[in-house]
Amino acid sequence: LPNVQSIVFKEHEGSFLVGMMAAMASKTGKVGFVGGMDIPLIRKFECGYVGGAKSAGATDVIQNMTGDTPAAWNDPTKGGEIAKSQIDQGADIIYDAAGGTGVGVLQAAGDGGKLGIGVDSNQNGLLPGKILTSMVKRVDVAVYDAFSTAKAGEFKPGINVLGLKEDGVGVAMDDNNKALVTPEMTAAVDKAKADIIAGTITVHDYMTD
């Protein structure tokens, strides 16, 4: 409809950056990914993360989905069990893209002396010092941009896609994780972000398969 704008995000671009950080922070070279319901959108997170982790030297990315029904979004106990299994296989950094299930993933990583990576919102404060970073989707930016264009009389209906270039996705940095992120990580992420925006690095989008 002419008064409707649908906003989607380039989750794979933000996931690439946290994948790099995971690989650089890992002591084992093995990192993990726990998705919620096995749907193409979550595979999109996974694919970007694997690309970033491998580009920064990860030797293995252990990947699991929680389930194939909507219940997969709200099972923190199972999320914790999957995370523990990945830790037993050598993963020491685990990224969750699993909704409420992800709380269990992050808790298990922290309890196991490993690091988690949050998703969508800034989850660094859930377990300060135990979450390396969070891959944030900037819904605030999306809403502000929509209102701003409407105010200026420039609102456009249709699909609006927000990635790193548009500040629609990114990595969360704050006092909760600053001790975990080295200057080398920050520099690598900044360079990769610039290269993705410039088109020098192309992050594979699972949804285009």
Side-chain angles (χ1 to χ4, degrees):
L1 297 174
N3 64 334
V4 176
Q5 183 180 96
S6 299
I7 299 169
V8 294
F9 297 86
K10 294 183 179 179
E11 293 92 353
H12 53 299
E13 291 186 351
S15 295
F16 186 94
L17 299 184
V18 300
M20 290 181 63
M21 293 177 70
M24 294 179 75
S26 176
K27 295 179 174 63
T28 64
K30 296 181 180 181
V31 299
F33 174 89
V34 180
M37 186 177 174
D38 192 353
I39 56 175
L41 174 64
I42 302 305
R43 292 288 180 181
K44 186 178 179 185
F45 282 86
E46 179 184 57
C47 188
Y49 178 70
V50 171
K54 291 290 183 70
S55 78
T59 57
D60 192 14
V61 183
I62 303 167
Q63 304 155 58
N64 294 104
M65 294 292 176
T66 306
D68 55 9
T69 70
W73 301 120
N74 296 293
D75 195 343
T77 300
K78 188 169 183 181
E81 291 170 352
I82 294 171
K84 289 173 186 173
S85 172
Q86 293 189 352
I87 290 169
D88 288 344
Q89 296 174 68
D92 58 355
I93 317 285
I94 302 176
Y95 178 32
D96 93 84
T101 297
V103 176
V105 174
L106 298 175
Q107 189 68 57
D111 290 348
K114 312 304 180 185
L115 295 176
I117 295 177
V119 73
D120 290 342
S121 62
N122 182 354
Q123 296 184 303
N124 297 355
L126 290 179
L127 295 166
K130 296 182 178 181
I131 297 179
L132 179 63
T133 188
S134 296
M135 197 294 283
V136 291
K137 285 202 281 191
R138 300 295 306 275
V139 177
D140 54 338
V141 171
V143 173
Y144 182 82
D145 286 351
F147 274 80
S148 297
T149 55
K151 181 180 179 182
E154 299 170 356
F155 182 88
K156 294 179 181 179
I159 298 175
N160 191 17
V161 184
L162 304 180
L164 288 173
K165 182 179 180 180
E166 297 79 19
D167 197 29
V169 294
V171 298
M173 292 297 301
D174 55 31
D175 288 343
N176 294 306
N177 71 333
K178 65 181 182 181
L180 303 172
V181 180
T182 65
E184 291 77 15
M185 276 185 226
T186 301
V189 165
D190 288 347
K191 183 178 187 308
K193 178 179 177 180
D195 286 344
I196 291 168
I197 291 171
T200 310
I201 292 177
T202 301
V203 183
H204 182 68
D205 181 356
Y206 181 88
M207 301 283 273
T208 64
D209 284 350

